């Protein structure tokens, strides 16, 4: 294990581009983007579970376990999140915006539980509307924030679980049990849920039904801290997960792609298959299979000699990964699918998706440079991270050598988590 992997920034970039293109498909492969782009969220979940669990497990014996974790997470997530909501509240009377009060559930990161119980078909409570040229047009979509709600709820519970359990193997068994139970629970819930649109989105958005994806990453982080793997074994496991789980996912992905193509012509016909929340196989077993595929991708990214890792280290992709939180967050706040630009100027209809993507990237880059980066620097003031590698054998050398000749900080590896 290393404190920092350059390929992980590219992995974030790949995930956020997939999600953004899922909401704003463009080009000749728009149906594929619509049918498969949702998988980027699961890649985020696996990566988040991997990194967060590694940080928590490595921090068990250090002071300020809970304080440091929550201060660092708060500085990363809260500023632009609550600033955007504050701007929305201020803009509502000025621009005469119309939106549902149920959306305020997102302020407490509870929108993923509240919104699915509302009527998402006739009136989507995640949409913020503005009257343009006599028509009510969506200018903001809060729906994608459901995944941030899931992660925040995970951050609320998982640190305490790691703290009280502590034993690595016991934590691994806990992750494995939940992963095996989750698809059974989702299947039972799907068969007994309310109407499909409501029940499906509850299964897709609920922390109880999506925690298995986060725990796949957690299991990997714990497992790799007790294993001595060769590069060939790491590659073999990663490719095996991608090939095995991926092949079982192919039928449902083809259905999603076909549904997206049908929905482009008739939304009522394609709705049953065009979205993972309403695809029976995807929302039950497919989510677990996708988690395994994402785990395989993460394992290949760990080996810096693979073609995937080299691709993920491309400068432009790593740059997108650096601003990935802003890209994911602002994409919905800027209209989600570019329709607002078309309403402003019908001549932009063909270029609206691309313009929306470029606008999102520019806003996210400015946000990172002017707002997020200065706030992130406060982490080292209020919750300093571990400075040096403290593997047991290194600590032992440090103790043995009174003068520090056997080990010195200069030989350690800085941690940037």
């Amino acid at each position: 294990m290393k404190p920092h992997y350059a390929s992980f920034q590219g992995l974030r970039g790949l995930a956020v581009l997939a999600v953004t293109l899922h909401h704003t498909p463009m080009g000749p492969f728009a149906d594929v983007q619509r049918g498969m782009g949702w998988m980027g969220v699961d890649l985020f979940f696996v990566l988040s579970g991997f990194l967060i669990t590694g940080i928590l497990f490595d921090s068990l014996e250090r002071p300020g376990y809970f304080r440091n974790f929550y201060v660092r997470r708060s500085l990363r997530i809260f500023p632009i999140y609550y600033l955007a909501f504050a701007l929305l509240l201020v803009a509502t009377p000025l621009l005469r915006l119309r939106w549902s009060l149920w959306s305020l559930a997102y302020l407490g990161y509870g929108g993923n539980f509240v919104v699915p119980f509302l009527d998402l078909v006739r009136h989507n409570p995640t949409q913020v509307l503005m009257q343009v040229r006599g028509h009510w047009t969506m200018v903001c979509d809060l729906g994608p924030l459901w995944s941030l709600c899931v992660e925040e709820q995970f951050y609320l519970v998982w640190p305490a679980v790691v703290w009280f359990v502590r034993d690595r193997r016991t934590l691994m068994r806990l992750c494995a049990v939940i992963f095996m139970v989750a698809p059974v629970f989702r299947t039972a819930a799907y068969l007994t849920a309310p109407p499909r649109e409501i029940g499906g989105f509850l299964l897709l958005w609920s922390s109880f039904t999506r925690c298995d994806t986060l725990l796949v990453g957690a299991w990997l982080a714990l497992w790799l801290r007790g294993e001595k793997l060769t590069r060939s074994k790491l590659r073999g496991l990663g490719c095996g997960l991608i090939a095995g789980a991926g092949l079982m996912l192919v039928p449902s992905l083809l259905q999603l792609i076909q549904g997206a193509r049908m929905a482009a012509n008739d939304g009522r016909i394609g709705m049953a298959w065009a979205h993972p929340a309403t695809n029976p196989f995807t929302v039950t077993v497919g989510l677990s299979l996708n988690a395994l595929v994402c785990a395989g991708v993460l394992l290949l990214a760990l080996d810096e000699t693979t073609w995937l890792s080299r691709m993920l280290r491309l400068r432009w992709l790593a740059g997108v990964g650096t601003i990935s939180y802003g890209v994911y967050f602002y994409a919905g706040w800027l209209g989600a699918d570019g329709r607002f630009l078309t309403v402003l100027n019908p001549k932009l209809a063909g270029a609206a998706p691309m313009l929306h993507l470029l606008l999102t990237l520019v806003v996210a880059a400015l946000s990172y440079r002017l707002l997020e980066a200065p706030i992130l620097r406060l982490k080292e003031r209020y919750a300093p991270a571990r400075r040096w590698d403290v593997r047991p054998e290194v600590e032992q050398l440090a103790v043995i050598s009174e003068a520090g000749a056997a080990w010195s900080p200069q030989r350690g590896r800085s941690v940037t988590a």
Side-chain angles (χ1 to χ4, degrees):
M1 297 303 300
K2 292 170 59 178
H4 175 73
Y5 289 89
S7 58
F8 280 4
Q9 287 292 53
L11 205 58
R12 291 187 182 96
L14 182 66
V16 78
L17 287 177
V19 177
T20 304
L21 292 175
H22 169 71
H23 290 289
T24 315
M26 64 187 78
F29 301 104
D31 297 335
V32 176
Q33 297 164 24
R34 193 65 155 168
M36 297 179 61
W38 61 273
M39 300 171 71
V41 173
D42 293 54
L43 185 55
F44 267 125
F45 280 168
V46 171
L47 181 59
S48 181
F50 179 85
L51 293 173
I52 293 303
T53 303
I55 291 171
L56 291 171
F57 189 76
D58 293 342
S59 303
L60 280 173
E61 303 304 325
R62 295 201 298 275
Y65 171 85
F66 287 104
R67 178 188 176 278
N68 287 348
F69 176 78
Y70 285 116
V71 167
R72 296 178 72 86
R73 289 297 90 197
S74 299
L75 290 172
R76 182 69 190 97
I77 296 174
F78 288 175
I80 68 171
Y81 189 89
Y82 286 110
L83 176 61
F85 271 101
L87 293 175
L88 175 63
L89 293 174
V90 171
T92 296
L94 298 177
L95 301 178
R96 297 182 180 180
L97 302 179
R98 188 172 72 182
W99 48 279
S100 172
L101 289 177
W102 289 107
S103 299
L104 292 177
Y106 283 106
L107 286 174
Y109 296 97
N112 63 321
F113 283 111
V114 173
V115 172
F117 282 109
L118 306 177
D119 193 340
L120 293 174
V121 178
R122 296 182 181 177
H123 171 63
N124 192 328
T126 67
Q127 295 182 354
V128 178
L129 306 176
M130 186 172 75
Q131 199 166 35
V132 181
R133 296 182 178 179
H135 299 282
W136 287 100
T137 305
M138 183 182 69
V139 296
C140 177
D141 184 13
L142 305 179
L145 298 181
W146 71 267
S147 61
L148 287 177
C149 295
V150 171
E151 290 215 12
E152 284 299 298
Q153 292 157 16
F154 176 71
Y155 296 157
L156 187 64
V157 175
W158 191 238
V161 173
V162 174
W163 172 264
F164 285 110
V165 175
R166 289 181 173 260
D167 181 69
R168 185 180 67 88
R169 293 187 178 276
T170 303
L171 286 168
M172 289 172 60
R173 285 193 288 268
L174 177 63
C175 294
V177 168
I178 295 176
F179 178 78
M180 289 185 290
V181 170
V184 179
F185 176 75
R186 283 196 299 266
T187 302
Y190 182 84
L191 295 174
T192 59
R196 180 162 50 189
E197 290 80 8
I198 299 175
F201 275 96
L202 185 64
L203 294 181
L204 186 69
W205 288 7
S206 167
S207 296
F208 296 114
T209 57
R210 297 310 311 275
C211 62
D212 58 324
T213 307
L214 286 154
L215 293 180
V216 166
W219 189 92
L220 283 179
L222 296 165
W223 179 66
L224 289 172
R225 278 162 171 77
E227 292 290 327
K228 294 183 178 179
L229 294 174
T230 61
R231 180 170 288 128
S232 59
K233 188 175 180 181
L234 188 68
R235 289 182 180 180
L237 181 59
C239 292
L241 287 174
I242 294 173
L247 284 176
M248 289 186 281
L249 263 178
V250 168
S252 66
L253 292 178
L254 291 177
Q255 286 181 340
L256 290 171
I257 294 171
Q258 179 62 23
R261 186 174 296 116
M262 295 168 62
N265 301 317
D266 189 335
R268 293 172 298 176
I269 296 176
M271 183 60 187
W273 306 105
H275 197 285
T278 52
N279 184 287
F281 181 82
T282 304
V283 82
T284 54
V285 180
L287 294 176
S288 297
L289 294 175
N290 187 41
L292 294 178
V293 171
C294 294
V297 173
L298 189 148
L299 288 175
L300 292 182
L302 290 174
D303 182 0
E304 296 180 344
T305 64
T306 62
W307 66 268
L308 176 62
S309 182
R310 289 193 291 269
M311 182 195 75
L312 295 175
R313 294 198 300 273
L314 292 175
R315 182 172 297 180
W316 71 268
L317 190 57
V320 175
T322 301
I323 61 172
S324 58
Y325 176 46
V327 174
Y328 185 82
F329 184 81
Y330 292 119
W333 288 84
L334 296 174
D337 57 3
R339 280 182 292 178
F340 181 62
L341 296 174
T342 303
V343 174
L344 289 177
N345 187 345
K347 295 181 180 179
L348 297 176
M354 178 60 72
L355 292 175
H356 176 265
L357 176 60
L358 293 176
L359 180 62
T360 301
L361 290 171
V362 170
V363 172
L366 291 174
S367 172
Y368 183 83
R369 178 161 187 164
L370 302 177
L371 180 63
E372 296 171 62
I375 293 175
L376 290 175
R377 286 194 285 269
L378 297 177
K379 284 183 176 183
E380 295 307 313
R381 178 185 299 179
Y382 297 109
R386 178 179 55 165
R387 291 292 183 181
W388 312 109
D389 193 338
V390 290
R391 292 170 298 170
E393 64 271 23
V394 174
E395 287 187 323
Q396 186 177 10
L397 286 174
V399 171
I400 292 174
S401 176
E402 295 180 0
W407 178 84
S408 64
Q410 286 72 22
R411 298 181 188 177
R413 295 178 299 195
S414 61
V415 175
T416 58

